[in-house]
Amino acid sequence: MLCYLKIKNFALIDELNVEFEQGLNVITGETGAGKSMIIEAINVILGAPFNPNWLKNEQDFLEIEALFYLDSISPERLEELKKTVKLPLEDLQIVIKRKILQTKRSSCFINNQLVTLSFLQQIGNYLIDLHGQHEHQSLLNPESHIDFVDSFGNHSFLEQKEQFDSTYKQWQHKNKLLHQLVQKHSEVLSKRDYFLFQLREIEQAKLKEGEDCEIEEILNVIRHQVKIKEIMEMANEVLLENGNNTNVSVYDVLTRLISSFNTISILDQNINRIKEQLTDLNFKVEDISAQIIEYKEKIDLDVYQLQEAEERLNLINHLKHKYGSQIGEILKYQDHLQAQLSSMEDDEAEIGRLNKEIKEDEEILTKLSLALSSQRKTISQQLARDIIKELAELGMKDCNFLVQIEQQEDQNGLKIGDRKIKINSKGIDRIEFFISTNAGEKLKPLSEIVSGGEVSRIMLGLKSILSKADQIPTMIFDEIDSGVGARLGETIARKLAKLAHSHQVIAVTHLPQIACQADQHLYINKYASQNKTTIELKKLSKDEQLYEIAKMLDGEKYGSISIEHARKMLDGQKGERN
């Protein structure tokens, strides 16, 4: 509920602090005193578009600040608000502040966090319903009408609605997954033949890590094998085989040296160690010579083997150019292709599974949506009768009211019979309230009602019926008694008082019948001082309320009879409440 309102530099107001209470808060005052300015200031805090007349003369800015307690909001509505606000709600309170500069620039804050104007307007929908010549009226929004109707459903209806909502979200999620999967599958499928070609090309090559380096080494050897063999043969002759040369080989020289050292090695350990080293060296010469002979035989390759190695290397380089600069990268790409082709098969299976589950969900949604629609028709018929009766009591005896329920076709909707119907989390129904206020007048959408006083009375009638369904904690009525006499005023007063049992109600009125029902009576006064007009607001005591109601009955010249009449009215209201 709205607990506190601070207004600064607004119209005729320098600075004004207003505290509201639970129940019925009534604002009275002389005609033109500025009663509706308080309501207009609340409209500003709800995000109303800027009006240049708001800014007080010679001031650079105006500022409105409001404190709301959230303890009267239902747990479900509170949870929804928390998700929307996404800001800490300490002690179940919201402080909203809006500042507008002379340049028309506006800044909005919720719990000291800067927010956009559109966000402020969104939050306002959870806090206040304002009826009169204002736009902030939930019942004038056709999108909210289905919620009002549904709130009159029984326990079974609400369970079915909850099941529908759960299944709908599940169905939506699966459809989203299916759309993404089909899109991905189509993209991959269009490349399937190309992927298969690439995979076959890589697989047929039977690549091995490091193979290219080995082939390049072999080719290097083959291209220089004549020179290599010549050097190898020369080395072998020098080391081991003397051949036809008269020169002695290294092996022979070492053998002779070892033989000579054998004759003296027993004489000294140092000589023996030298002999052993020579012996080791001789073995190494033998080993090196054997390696030379083996290598020389291995490189004895023919032209065919050279051609084969070159063709293999050309194939590897061709694949590198297409799939990766290294054989390792090509093999990784091969794995990627295999994964893509495997995923196609997995995707096809998943698409089949999702299609089956979506069809099952659609069967459930069809059954539930038709059941909900049927019950809504029954609820709507009773609701229309109740509202017509309520409006008749408010002096609108020729009023007619209709709850229109229709479905819209949508190519992406739920197939029911031969039609595809637009669907959302609430079902297949689009509900809108229609009304005619005079006999013979054509029914028209409730949202097209423009008269401030008329719309307020219609809203009061609707709210009286729908109060249990209405989850907005604060209701404000401006001009609700416009053109209303004493008898109808008593009816309006009783309905406002009844409404105030379940909601905080703020009403601007000139009727004493309404004023005497107040849980809190606020009086607004306009006065001139030092060539400046300003406004003050005062909470009336019991005696002050008595005299104010007497004045509302008979004007400034009220007397003892008026006071007595006012006292009886107040006592009568107390008796009714007791």
Side-chain angles (χ1 to χ4, degrees):
M1 73 173 192
L2 175 61
C3 299
Y4 178 80
L5 184 69
K6 182 178 180 180
I7 308 169
K8 188 172 184 178
N9 299 334
F10 184 80
L12 298 176
I13 300 171
D14 288 321
E15 185 167 334
L16 193 66
N17 299 315
V18 188
E19 292 186 22
F20 293 100
E21 297 178 1
Q22 185 61 274
L24 178 59
N25 297 263
V26 169
I27 302 174
T28 64
E30 298 294 335
T31 301
K35 298 184 294 294
S36 291
M37 284 184 195
I38 307 298
I39 308 303
E40 198 64 54
I42 296 173
N43 207 25
V44 172
I45 211 71
L46 299 176
F50 176 74
N51 183 336
N53 296 327
W54 288 348
L55 189 61
K56 189 172 175 63
N57 291 340
E58 301 178 359
Q59 297 298 328
D60 297 326
F61 71 94
L62 68 85
E63 189 173 86
I64 314 290
E65 191 169 2
L67 168 64
F68 293 88
Y69 286 163
L70 307 178
D71 51 0
S72 57
I73 296 181
S74 69
E76 296 81 9
R77 189 77 168 173
L78 182 60
E79 192 61 32
E80 189 179 331
L81 176 59
K82 285 180 178 178
K83 289 179 182 177
T84 303
V85 175
K86 295 179 181 176
L87 294 172
L89 299 179
E90 297 176 2
D91 302 323
L92 292 180
Q93 295 181 10
I94 282 184
V95 177
I96 298 178
K97 182 166 73 173
R98 186 178 178 193
K99 185 176 183 178
I100 304 175
L101 304 180
Q102 196 174 33
T103 58
K104 300 182 182 179
R105 292 184 65 181
S106 172
S107 54
C108 310
F109 298 85
I110 296 179
N111 288 358
N112 291 322
Q113 297 287 323
L114 186 65
V115 298
T116 63
L117 182 60
S118 60
F119 187 78
L120 179 64
Q121 292 166 342
Q122 186 182 358
I123 298 305
N125 291 327
Y126 288 88
L127 304 173
I128 290 182
D129 220 357
L130 201 159
H131 305 297
Q133 293 181 337
H134 304 278
E135 298 174 357
H136 205 85
Q137 305 177 28
S138 62
L139 277 171
L140 297 188
N141 177 13
E143 291 183 5
S144 68
H145 294 175
I146 191 169
D147 296 323
F148 285 114
V149 170
D150 287 357
S151 61
F152 284 88
N154 57 26
H155 182 69
S156 174
F157 174 86
L158 296 176
E159 279 188 341
Q160 286 180 322
K161 187 180 176 185
E162 187 175 335
Q163 184 185 356
F164 181 92
D165 179 61
S166 174
T167 307
Y168 173 77
K169 288 175 181 173
Q170 181 177 285
W171 175 75
Q172 255 193 334
H173 177 66
K174 288 176 184 175
N175 269 300
K176 184 179 178 181
L177 285 179
L178 180 63
H179 175 74
Q180 292 171 345
L181 202 56
V182 167
Q183 191 174 31
K184 174 195 163 191
H185 187 64
S186 298
E187 291 171 0
V188 176
L189 198 60
S190 66
K191 302 174 183 176
R192 182 172 188 165
D193 292 341
Y194 182 53
F195 285 167
L196 283 169
F197 166 78
Q198 289 182 316
L199 185 61
R200 279 195 297 269
E201 186 177 34
I202 295 172
E203 284 179 339
Q204 286 170 1
K206 297 180 180 178
L207 298 174
K208 297 177 182 177
E209 285 271 15
E211 180 185 1
D212 50 344
C213 296
E214 291 176 6
I215 293 173
E216 284 175 353
E217 287 176 3
I218 291 170
L219 286 172
N220 257 341
V221 170
I222 293 173
R223 293 186 186 111
H224 299 89
Q225 66 177 319
V226 174
K227 185 177 180 180
I228 292 169
K229 287 174 76 174
E230 181 184 325
I231 293 171
M232 290 292 183
E233 286 173 358
M234 181 189 70
N236 190 47
E237 286 179 0
V238 170
L239 292 172
L240 192 64
E241 297 177 3
N242 188 21
N244 297 323
N245 296 328
T246 56
N247 295 331
V248 180
S249 70
V250 171
Y251 182 81
D252 290 340
V253 171
L254 287 171
T255 301
R256 291 174 186 174
L257 282 172
I258 293 166
S259 178
S260 298
F261 267 79
N262 279 335
T263 62
I264 61 173
S265 61
I266 59 173
L267 301 176
D268 189 344
Q269 283 294 328
N270 290 325
I271 296 172
N272 189 55
R273 278 196 291 272
I274 293 170
K275 185 203 78 167
E276 289 175 352
Q277 291 179 42
L278 288 170
T279 302
D280 290 342
L281 188 56
N282 207 26
F283 287 142
K284 285 184 179 179
V285 168
E286 276 187 304
D287 184 51
I288 291 169
S289 182
Q291 290 181 47
I292 289 170
I293 293 167
E294 183 184 353
Y295 187 80
K296 189 174 67 169
E297 291 173 352
K298 187 173 71 173
I299 65 168
D300 193 14
L301 302 174
D302 58 24
V303 175
Y304 173 75
Q305 289 171 311
L306 173 62
Q307 182 182 350
E308 189 180 59
E310 286 179 335
E311 287 176 354
R312 180 64 176 173
L313 188 61
N314 287 338
L315 173 62
I316 292 171
N317 287 333
H318 171 70
L319 295 176
K320 281 184 180 181
H321 180 71
K322 292 178 71 174
Y323 306 121
S325 60
Q326 302 293 330
I327 288 180
E329 292 179 13
I330 298 172
L331 294 174
K332 282 183 182 178
Y333 186 66
Q334 178 184 350
D335 293 340
H336 169 72
L337 290 172
Q338 288 170 335
Q340 286 283 70
L341 292 165
S342 296
S343 76
M344 282 188 201
E345 298 175 5
D346 295 339
D347 288 348
E348 287 170 0
E350 182 67 6
I351 287 169
R353 185 187 67 81
L354 281 172
N355 273 318
K356 182 183 177 184
E357 290 184 6
I358 286 170
K359 188 176 180 181
E360 291 171 355
D361 287 343
E362 286 177 347
E363 289 175 359
I364 296 171
L365 289 174
T366 299
K367 182 180 177 181
L368 288 171
S369 63
L370 290 173
L372 291 173
S373 186
S374 175
Q375 292 177 74
R376 281 176 180 140
K377 288 174 185 174
T378 303
I379 294 168
S380 297
Q381 290 169 359
Q382 183 60 49
L383 181 61
R385 288 193 291 269
D386 291 344
I387 288 175
I388 290 170
K389 180 182 176 183
E390 194 74 25
L391 294 178
E393 293 178 8
L394 290 168
M396 302 176 72
K397 296 181 180 179
D398 296 322
C399 185
N400 194 14
F401 189 88
L402 172 71
V403 180
Q404 183 188 75
I405 302 178
E406 60 181 12
Q407 292 85 37
Q408 294 179 338
E409 293 194 13
D410 181 1
Q411 289 303 311
N412 298 317
L414 182 66
K415 189 172 182 182
I416 299 179
D418 297 329
R419 300 168 64 203
K420 280 197 169 184
I421 307 298
K422 188 173 183 179
I423 183 175
N424 59 28
S425 61
K426 297 171 185 176
I428 57 173
D429 298 320
R430 183 183 180 277
I431 295 181
E432 185 170 3
F433 296 159
F434 281 73
I435 192 167
S436 67
T437 55
N438 299 299
E441 187 177 52
K442 184 180 177 182
L443 284 161
K444 57 186 177 182
L446 189 64
S447 57
E448 293 181 11
I449 297 173
V450 293
S451 165
E454 187 176 65
V455 75
S456 288
R457 286 196 296 279
I458 291 172
M459 291 305 156
L460 176 59
L462 292 173
K463 292 288 186 178
S464 298
I465 295 294
L466 304 172
S467 59
K468 291 181 181 179
D470 198 331
Q471 298 184 38
I472 300 175
T474 299
M475 299 182 187
I476 299 177
F477 293 90
D478 190 16
E479 300 186 19
I480 195 168
D481 51 14
S482 177
V484 168
R487 182 175 297 177
L488 182 54
E490 287 180 4
T491 302
I492 292 173
R494 283 196 301 272
K495 292 187 180 297
L496 283 173
K498 184 179 179 181
L499 198 57
H501 292 158
S502 56
H503 296 72
Q504 180 191 44
V505 178
I506 300 170
V508 174
T509 184
H510 69 273
L511 285 179
Q513 289 87 350
I514 295 175
C516 68
Q517 293 277 2
D519 294 297
Q520 174 177 247
H521 190 151
L522 301 171
Y523 179 78
I524 194 162
N525 181 41
K526 180 172 70 175
Y527 65 92
S529 175
Q530 298 179 348
N531 295 322
K532 186 172 70 172
T533 302
T534 190
I535 286 174
E536 65 176 5
L537 187 76
K538 182 181 182 182
K539 177 182 178 180
L540 300 184
S541 65
K542 290 183 180 180
D543 287 341
E544 288 170 331
Q545 183 187 25
L546 174 66
Y547 294 127
E548 169 62 11
I549 291 173
K551 186 169 68 173
M552 293 172 76
L553 286 166
D554 288 330
E556 291 289 346
K557 297 180 179 180
Y558 67 88
S560 57
I561 296 175
S562 302
I563 293 172
E564 188 58 30
H565 186 186
R567 182 175 284 109
K568 287 181 179 179
M569 289 178 69
L570 286 167
D571 290 342
Q573 301 311 325
K574 290 177 185 177
E576 284 185 15
R577 292 185 184 184
N578 294 332

Short mmCIF file of all heavy atoms in Angstrom, two decimals, residues 357-376:
data_model
loop_
_atom_site.label_atom_id
_atom_site.label_comp_id
_atom_site.label_asym_id
_atom_site.label_seq_id
_atom_site.Cartn_x
_atom_site.Cartn_y
_atom_site.Cartn_z
N GLU A 357 7.03 -36.12 -28.42
CA GLU A 357 6.67 -35.51 -27.14
C GLU A 357 5.84 -34.25 -27.34
O GLU A 357 4.90 -33.99 -26.57
CB GLU A 357 7.93 -35.18 -26.35
CG GLU A 357 8.66 -36.43 -25.83
CD GLU A 357 9.87 -36.09 -24.97
OE1 GLU A 357 10.07 -34.89 -24.69
OE2 GLU A 357 10.61 -37.01 -24.59
N ILE A 358 6.16 -33.45 -28.36
CA ILE A 358 5.39 -32.24 -28.65
C ILE A 358 3.96 -32.59 -29.03
O ILE A 358 3.00 -31.92 -28.60
CB ILE A 358 6.08 -31.43 -29.78
CG1 ILE A 358 7.34 -30.74 -29.23
CG2 ILE A 358 5.13 -30.39 -30.38
CD1 ILE A 358 8.22 -30.13 -30.28
N LYS A 359 3.80 -33.64 -29.80
CA LYS A 359 2.46 -34.09 -30.17
C LYS A 359 1.67 -34.50 -28.93
O LYS A 359 0.47 -34.18 -28.80
CB LYS A 359 2.56 -35.25 -31.16
CG LYS A 359 1.21 -35.65 -31.75
CD LYS A 359 1.37 -36.74 -32.80
CE LYS A 359 0.00 -37.14 -33.37
NZ LYS A 359 0.12 -38.22 -34.38
N GLU A 360 2.34 -35.21 -28.02
CA GLU A 360 1.67 -35.62 -26.77
C GLU A 360 1.28 -34.41 -25.94
O GLU A 360 0.17 -34.36 -25.39
CB GLU A 360 2.61 -36.54 -25.97
CG GLU A 360 2.83 -37.90 -26.61
CD GLU A 360 3.93 -38.70 -25.93
OE1 GLU A 360 4.59 -38.14 -25.01
OE2 GLU A 360 4.16 -39.87 -26.30
N ASP A 361 2.19 -33.42 -25.85
CA ASP A 361 1.88 -32.19 -25.10
C ASP A 361 0.72 -31.44 -25.74
O ASP A 361 -0.14 -30.89 -25.03
CB ASP A 361 3.12 -31.27 -25.07
CG ASP A 361 4.20 -31.79 -24.12
OD1 ASP A 361 3.88 -32.65 -23.28
OD2 ASP A 361 5.36 -31.33 -24.23
N GLU A 362 0.67 -31.41 -27.07
CA GLU A 362 -0.40 -30.70 -27.77
C GLU A 362 -1.76 -31.34 -27.52
O GLU A 362 -2.78 -30.64 -27.43
CB GLU A 362 -0.10 -30.63 -29.27
CG GLU A 362 1.01 -29.63 -29.59
CD GLU A 362 1.37 -29.59 -31.05
OE1 GLU A 362 0.95 -30.51 -31.80
OE2 GLU A 362 2.09 -28.65 -31.46
N GLU A 363 -1.76 -32.65 -27.37
CA GLU A 363 -3.03 -33.34 -27.05
C GLU A 363 -3.52 -32.92 -25.66
O GLU A 363 -4.71 -32.68 -25.47
CB GLU A 363 -2.81 -34.86 -27.11
CG GLU A 363 -2.62 -35.39 -28.52
CD GLU A 363 -2.28 -36.88 -28.55
OE1 GLU A 363 -2.17 -37.47 -27.46
OE2 GLU A 363 -2.12 -37.43 -29.66
N ILE A 364 -2.56 -32.81 -24.72
CA ILE A 364 -2.92 -32.37 -23.36
C ILE A 364 -3.38 -30.91 -23.39
O ILE A 364 -4.39 -30.55 -22.77
CB ILE A 364 -1.71 -32.54 -22.41
CG1 ILE A 364 -1.34 -34.01 -22.26
CG2 ILE A 364 -2.03 -31.93 -21.03
CD1 ILE A 364 -0.04 -34.26 -21.52
N LEU A 365 -2.64 -30.04 -24.12
CA LEU A 365 -2.99 -28.62 -24.20
C LEU A 365 -4.36 -28.42 -24.84
O LEU A 365 -5.13 -27.56 -24.41
CB LEU A 365 -1.92 -27.87 -25.01
CG LEU A 365 -0.55 -27.69 -24.34
CD1 LEU A 365 0.45 -27.08 -25.30
CD2 LEU A 365 -0.66 -26.83 -23.08
N THR A 366 -4.64 -29.19 -25.87
CA THR A 366 -5.95 -29.09 -26.54
C THR A 366 -7.07 -29.42 -25.56
O THR A 366 -8.06 -28.67 -25.44
CB THR A 366 -6.01 -30.03 -27.75
OG1 THR A 366 -4.99 -29.67 -28.69
CG2 THR A 366 -7.36 -29.96 -28.43
N LYS A 367 -6.90 -30.53 -24.85
CA LYS A 367 -7.92 -30.96 -23.89
C LYS A 367 -8.12 -29.93 -22.79
O LYS A 367 -9.26 -29.55 -22.46
CB LYS A 367 -7.50 -32.30 -23.29
CG LYS A 367 -8.50 -32.89 -22.30
CD LYS A 367 -7.99 -34.22 -21.75
CE LYS A 367 -8.95 -34.78 -20.70
NZ LYS A 367 -8.46 -36.07 -20.14
N LEU A 368 -7.00 -29.44 -22.23
CA LEU A 368 -7.10 -28.47 -21.13
C LEU A 368 -7.61 -27.12 -21.60
O LEU A 368 -8.42 -26.47 -20.91
CB LEU A 368 -5.72 -28.29 -20.48
CG LEU A 368 -5.21 -29.45 -19.62
CD1 LEU A 368 -3.76 -29.22 -19.21
CD2 LEU A 368 -6.08 -29.61 -18.37
N SER A 369 -7.16 -26.65 -22.76
CA SER A 369 -7.58 -25.33 -23.25
C SER A 369 -9.08 -25.29 -23.54
O SER A 369 -9.76 -24.29 -23.26
CB SER A 369 -6.80 -24.94 -24.50
OG SER A 369 -7.05 -25.83 -25.56
N LEU A 370 -9.61 -26.39 -24.07
CA LEU A 370 -11.06 -26.45 -24.33
C LEU A 370 -11.83 -26.49 -23.01
O LEU A 370 -12.91 -25.86 -22.89
CB LEU A 370 -11.38 -27.68 -25.18
CG LEU A 370 -10.88 -27.62 -26.64
CD1 LEU A 370 -11.10 -28.96 -27.35
CD2 LEU A 370 -11.58 -26.49 -27.40
N ALA A 371 -11.30 -27.22 -22.03
CA ALA A 371 -11.96 -27.28 -20.72
C ALA A 371 -11.95 -25.90 -20.06
O ALA A 371 -12.97 -25.45 -19.50
CB ALA A 371 -11.26 -28.30 -19.83
N LEU A 372 -10.81 -25.20 -20.10
CA LEU A 372 -10.71 -23.86 -19.51
C LEU A 372 -11.64 -22.89 -20.23
O LEU A 372 -12.32 -22.07 -19.59
CB LEU A 372 -9.27 -23.35 -19.61
CG LEU A 372 -8.23 -24.05 -18.72
CD1 LEU A 372 -6.83 -23.56 -19.06
CD2 LEU A 372 -8.52 -23.80 -17.24
N SER A 373 -11.68 -22.97 -21.55
CA SER A 373 -12.53 -22.07 -22.33
C SER A 373 -14.00 -22.27 -21.99
O SER A 373 -14.77 -21.31 -21.85
CB SER A 373 -12.30 -22.32 -23.82
OG SER A 373 -12.99 -21.38 -24.60
N SER A 374 -14.40 -23.53 -21.84
CA SER A 374 -15.80 -23.82 -21.50
C SER A 374 -16.16 -23.25 -20.13
O SER A 374 -17.23 -22.64 -19.96
CB SER A 374 -16.00 -25.34 -21.50
OG SER A 374 -17.30 -25.68 -21.06
N GLN A 375 -15.25 -23.41 -19.15
CA GLN A 375 -15.52 -22.89 -17.80
C GLN A 375 -15.50 -21.36 -17.78
O GLN A 375 -16.25 -20.73 -17.03
CB GLN A 375 -14.49 -23.45 -16.82
CG GLN A 375 -14.64 -24.95 -16.59
CD GLN A 375 -13.58 -25.52 -15.67
OE1 GLN A 375 -13.61 -25.30 -14.46
NE2 GLN A 375 -12.62 -26.25 -16.24
N ARG A 376 -14.65 -20.77 -18.61
CA ARG A 376 -14.62 -19.30 -18.68
C ARG A 376 -15.94 -18.74 -19.20
O ARG A 376 -16.38 -17.68 -18.77
CB ARG A 376 -13.46 -18.85 -19.58
CG ARG A 376 -12.10 -18.89 -18.89
CD ARG A 376 -10.98 -18.54 -19.82
NE ARG A 376 -9.69 -18.59 -19.13
CZ ARG A 376 -8.58 -19.07 -19.66
NH1 ARG A 376 -8.57 -19.54 -20.90
NH2 ARG A 376 -7.46 -19.07 -18.95
#
